[in-house]
């Protein structure tokens, strides 16, 4: 496993003690919680994940000049570890790699004035260097900023996705390595990708059963349905579909997914399925920038139609074979008691999601924040992939903000969900 040097480890990401969350209302098992102590625990031979971008990685990557491709970004706020040095060695051609002398500013508030365009280069261990000539405190220097893109949960509680958190806590051999996260190694596989819906996941699960990929010893995770719900919700808001029709269609989709979950269990695998979060309490509904046409009660009703159908169709399956991770009840209210908590519970943490900001992309481009539909220059995917711990809105926090953009979890929520999933495996299986 690759490691960042000590100078690149984040100083503001302390270790958060893991509290046992099993049997809480926010993680109700299908057949109830297990009782008593266990003499042994289930450790899968492999994790296979299905779903949308909540369980996915950007495997296409971002080209950094001519030096390489940055992979392992997540569809949430991406945690960076950053260091800066001011090189005064005029003989070096690569001050990132070799610098015989450096300058230390007398104050952390001293301003660097660039005299050219910065050069971005891909380095080893997920590090992108940002090099620019200029002056600071009247001294000529080459400023080198090293940004480490921490895709692995082994570096902090808030790096990585819920799925990585689950794998990492179960066994390091189950990590999502290789093209998923070059900082890790492991045999986990995810078929999740941006925008995937229920029908596609059902097909993939059935194909994996037929091929023998889903079998005894495997842990299957399924987290999908949000796009189907939002699609029906938008149709009801637009007046092209009735609420009754949308409710019926979502219940049918929930039952269809339940059939696939049951089939995966019958093939011998243990199956964790995640309920769709209650977006009534997301920035899509709660943000000061939310559209006046948004309807939180409707969105909650449609989400329940899907979740309840999925759960009710599995009521007779043993909780030792399948387990529910209840993301729906993770957040049941917001907090607007002061400006800080209001931002952290009701607004996106990412500047990239909010129009009116200028952000620098991982490859050094300057772009206007917000989606193209909002008048910005980013795709919906780029809003998340370009969001980092350097591009957070005022009062946002890696360890306290719930939402990255208007509908996607921030690192805290991924950590919480991953912990719930881990405890569900330990309690049920």
């Amino acid at each position: 496993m690759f490691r960042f040097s000590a100078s690149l480890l984040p100083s503001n990401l302390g270790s958060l003690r893991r509290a046992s969350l099993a049997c809480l209302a926010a993680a109700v098992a299908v057949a109830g919680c297990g009782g008593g102590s266990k003499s042994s625990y289930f450790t899968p031979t492999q994790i296979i994940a299905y779903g949308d971008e909540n369980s996915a990685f950007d495997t296409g990557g971002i080209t950094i000049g001519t030096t390489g491709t940055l992979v392992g970004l997540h569809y949430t706020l991406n945690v960076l570890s950053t260091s800066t040095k001011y090189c005064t060695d005029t003989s070096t051609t690569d001050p990132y790699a070799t610098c015989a002398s450096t300058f230390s500013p007398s104050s952390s508030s001293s301003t660097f004035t660039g005299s050219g365009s910065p050069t971005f280069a891909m380095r080893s261990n997920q590090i992108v260097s940002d090099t620019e000539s200029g002056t600071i405190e009247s001294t000529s220097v080459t400023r080198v900023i090293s940004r480490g893109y921490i895709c692995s949960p082994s570096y902090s509680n808030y790096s990585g996705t819920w799925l990585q958190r689950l794998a990492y806590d179960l066994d390091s051999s189950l990590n999502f390595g290789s093209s998923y996260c070059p900082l890790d190694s492991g045999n986990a596989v995810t078929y999740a990708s941006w925008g995937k819906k229920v029908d596609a996941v059902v097909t993939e699960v059935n194909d994996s059963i037929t091929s023998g990929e889903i079998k005894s010893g495997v842990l299957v995770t399924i987290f999908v349905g949000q796009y189907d719900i939002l699609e029906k919700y938008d149709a009801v808001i637009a007046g092209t579909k009735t609420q009754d029709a949308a409710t019926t269609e979502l219940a049918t989709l929930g039952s269809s997914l339940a059939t696939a979950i049951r089939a995966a269990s019958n093939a011998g695998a243990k199956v964790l399925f995640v309920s769709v979060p209650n977006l009534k309490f997301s920035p899509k509904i709660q943000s000061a920038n939310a559209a006046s046409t948004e309807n939180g009660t409707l969105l909650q009703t449609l989400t329940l139609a899907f979740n309840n159908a999925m759960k009710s169709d599995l009521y007779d399956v043993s909780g030792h074979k399948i387990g529910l991770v209840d993301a729906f009840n993770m957040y049941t209210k917001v907090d607007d008691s002061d400006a800080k908590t209001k931002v952290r519970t009701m607004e996106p943490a990412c500047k990239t999601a909010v129009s009116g900001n200028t952000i620098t992309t991982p490859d050094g481009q300057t772009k206007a924040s917000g989606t193209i539909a909002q008048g910005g220059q980013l795709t919906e995917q780029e809003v998340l992939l370009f969001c980092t711990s350097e591009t957070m809105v005022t009062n946002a926090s890696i360890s306290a903000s719930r939402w990255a953009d208007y509908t996607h979890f921030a690192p805290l929520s991924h950590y919480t969900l991953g912990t719930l999933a881990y405890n569900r495996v330990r309690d049920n299986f």
Side-chain angles (χ1 to χ4, degrees):
M1 179 184 295
F2 295 102
R3 293 280 178 180
F4 288 108
S5 65
S7 64
L8 283 179
L9 289 176
S11 60
N12 62 332
L13 295 178
S15 177
L16 184 65
R17 185 180 178 185
R18 247 173 160 43
S20 175
L21 297 176
C23 298
L24 290 179
V28 180
V30 172
C33 290
S37 61
K38 299 178 71 171
S39 59
S40 62
Y41 292 96
F42 169 69
T43 299
T45 57
Q46 185 180 33
I47 296 175
I48 305 176
Y50 302 86
D52 58 24
E53 65 270 16
N54 288 302
S55 304
F57 301 79
D58 173 44
T59 54
I62 298 172
T63 302
I64 310 297
T66 60
T67 57
T69 301
L70 174 64
V71 298
L73 296 179
H74 308 118
Y75 294 100
T76 181
L77 190 157
N78 291 273
V79 176
L80 297 184
S81 177
T82 304
S83 68
T84 302
K85 68 179 177 182
Y86 299 96
C87 183
T88 54
D89 180 358
T90 58
S91 64
T92 181
T93 58
D94 184 0
Y96 167 84
T98 306
C99 180
S101 57
T102 59
F103 174 75
S104 298
S106 61
S107 171
S108 59
S109 61
S110 296
T111 302
F112 170 81
T113 303
S115 58
S117 299
T119 300
F120 284 67
M122 189 72 217
R123 308 291 181 166
S124 62
N125 292 0
Q126 289 289 97
I127 296 172
V128 176
S129 64
D130 170 357
T131 306
E132 183 177 6
S133 297
T135 59
I136 187 169
E137 295 182 358
S138 301
T139 302
S140 295
V141 298
T142 299
R143 184 187 67 179
V144 182
I145 302 175
S146 300
R147 296 183 176 91
Y149 285 78
I150 309 178
C151 58
S152 169
S154 65
Y155 296 94
S156 81
N157 290 321
Y158 308 114
S159 54
T161 65
W162 77 274
L163 195 56
Q164 288 176 285
R165 179 87 265 158
L166 168 64
Y168 178 77
D169 287 348
L170 286 173
D171 191 292
S172 62
S173 67
L174 301 171
N175 286 341
F176 290 83
S178 185
S179 61
Y180 301 131
C181 176
L183 299 175
D184 281 335
S185 60
N187 69 348
V189 174
T190 178
Y191 293 106
S193 62
W194 179 273
K196 193 159 286 184
K197 297 180 183 179
V198 170
D199 286 344
V201 167
V202 168
T203 298
E204 287 174 341
V205 170
N206 288 332
D207 287 347
S208 293
I209 293 171
T210 301
S211 69
E213 186 177 23
I214 293 179
K215 57 189 176 182
S216 178
V218 168
L219 175 63
V220 170
T221 70
I222 298 176
F223 186 7
V224 71
Q226 185 164 297
Y227 275 96
D228 300 88
I229 293 167
L230 289 174
E231 181 180 68
K232 309 298 183 188
Y233 168 80
D234 288 342
V236 175
I237 292 295
T240 59
K241 188 182 294 291
T242 67
Q243 181 175 335
D244 286 346
T247 300
T248 299
E249 291 169 7
L250 287 169
T252 300
L253 286 169
S255 295
S256 175
L257 188 59
T259 299
I261 293 168
R262 184 186 294 269
S265 175
N266 289 340
K270 306 290 189 182
V271 185
L272 278 186
F273 64 103
V274 184
S275 59
V276 176
N278 189 353
L279 296 184
K280 177 181 180 180
F281 301 105
S282 73
K284 177 175 177 63
I285 303 297
Q286 301 294 335
S287 171
N289 296 320
S292 60
T293 54
E294 300 287 10
N295 185 331
T297 300
L298 171 63
L299 185 51
Q300 177 176 261
T301 298
L302 296 178
T303 304
L304 282 170
F306 175 83
N307 285 340
N308 288 344
M310 176 174 59
K311 290 187 292 183
S312 65
D313 279 17
L314 295 168
Y315 76 95
D316 60 330
V317 182
S318 169
H320 295 295
K321 295 181 178 180
I322 66 174
L324 167 66
V325 184
D326 194 357
F328 181 85
N329 285 306
M330 273 178 54
Y331 300 122
T332 58
K333 61 181 179 179
V334 295
D335 186 349
D336 60 357
S337 58
D338 59 66
K340 183 178 292 185
T341 53
K342 186 174 183 178
V343 166
R344 293 176 178 183
T345 65
M346 300 171 65
E347 299 291 343
C350 298
K351 279 185 179 180
T352 51
V354 182
S355 298
N357 297 299
T358 300
I359 58 103
T360 301
T361 65
D363 60 353
Q365 298 183 62
T366 299
K367 291 192 174 185
S369 63
T371 63
I372 296 169
Q374 293 173 317
Q377 294 180 299
L378 306 178
T379 66
E380 292 182 5
Q381 294 97 316
E382 288 172 341
V383 163
L384 293 165
L385 296 177
F386 294 169
C387 176
T388 71
S389 47
E390 288 187 345
T391 60
M392 293 190 293
V393 302
T394 302
N395 287 326
S397 165
I398 292 173
S399 61
S401 291
R402 295 177 178 179
W403 303 93
D405 65 358
Y406 291 93
T407 58
H408 292 86
F409 280 157
L412 167 67
S413 300
H414 274 280
Y415 171 78
T416 303
L417 186 63
T419 301
L420 292 172
Y422 170 81
N423 282 294
R424 177 57 58 234
V425 171
R426 283 291 178 253
D427 188 61
N428 278 47
F429 307 148

